[in-house]
Amino acid sequence: MAGDDTLVLRAPRPSDEPVARAAQLALAEDGFDFGLRPESEPWLAYLDRLQREHRGEDLPLGRVASTYLYGEVDGRIVGRASIRHTLTDTLRAEGGHIGYAVLPAERRRGYATAILRRSLAVARDLGVGRVLVTCREDNVASLTVIERCGGRPDPEWPVTRNGPGDVPTLRFWID
Ligand SMILES: CC(C)(COP(=O)(O)OP(=O)(O)OC[C@H]1O[C@@H](n2cnc3c(N)ncnc32)[C@H](O)[C@@H]1OP(=O)(O)O)[C@@H](O)C(=O)NCCC(=O)NCCS
């Protein structure tokens, strides 16, 4: 698949700021984000925070170590991934180990599938065994991505908690 051949996951860099801020706005229309805080945070402070989150340093209560990466294709940032190193009760119910998003203008090119595949390799390198991925029941595109990456429905489904708007959240495990 084209997305798999060309996409790389990499850490955000100082020069990414304008693209990342535009991506944050573009994804807000879907209720997602590009990992930037809503309040203004200087870009270099943001990069520093990501490194500390990756190392698991200075984490706020309830947050676990996580690795934040951008998906790049031919020099274009097309999406992002957040890879949580461990689960909390909240992440177990909703969020899982890996979250991802692709910019609206870059969709339907296999990039989300490539981002999740690459993120699974990163998670393995971080020592995560089975990977949990969650998804709202009405997110057809993401359900397809998870299925293509080998996701198997959690046998304990249905979960007790529903997502926003009472749409159930589905949970999948990837070995
Ligand atoms: C979900 C999302 C990541 C998919 O990104 P993408 O790069 O378009 O995904 P892919 O190109 O890998 O598409 C995978 C498949 O999903 C299906 N799909 C994608 N968009 C679809 C849509 N709007 N309607 C129905 N099926 C869709 C298609 O079968 C597609 O493959 P195809 O183009 O070969 O037919 C993207 O829509 C997004 O960022 N949404 C907002 C954030 C989000 O929902 N993140 C996931 C949270 S669980």
Side-chain angles (χ1 to χ4, degrees), residues 45-94:
Y46 164 70
L47 294 184
D48 184 59
R49 173 166 63 84
L50 293 189
Q51 286 180 13
R52 280 184 281 116
E53 287 179 353
H54 172 69
R55 294 193 298 263
E57 293 171 8
D58 308 325
L59 296 173
L61 195 66
R63 269 187 88 92
V64 297
S66 61
T67 300
Y68 208 93
L69 299 170
Y70 289 174
E72 184 181 294
V73 175
D74 297 332
R76 298 191 325 278
I77 293 171
V78 300
R80 54 86 169 163
S82 173
I83 301 151
R84 273 76 73 163
H85 302 189
T86 52
L87 295 175
T88 60
D89 286 347
T90 306
L91 287 171
R92 223 169 256 119
E94 199 173 323

Side-chain angles (χ1 to χ4, degrees), residues 30 32 100-102 107-113 134-135 139-142 144-145 148:
D30 292 324
F32 283 82
Y100 47 88
V102 168
R107 290 179 186 165
R108 302 300 297 260
R109 299 177 191 176
Y111 294 154
T113 308
T134 73
C135 181
N139 194 340
V140 179
S142 190
T144 306
V145 169
R148 285 180 179 170

Side-chain angles (χ1 to χ4, degrees), residues 102-124:
V102 168
L103 298 182
E106 301 283 359
R107 290 179 186 165
R108 302 300 297 260
R109 299 177 191 176
Y111 294 154
T113 308
I115 286 174
L116 181 54
R117 284 218 175 99
R118 298 260 188 280
S119 299
L120 290 168
V122 173
R124 267 177 222 120

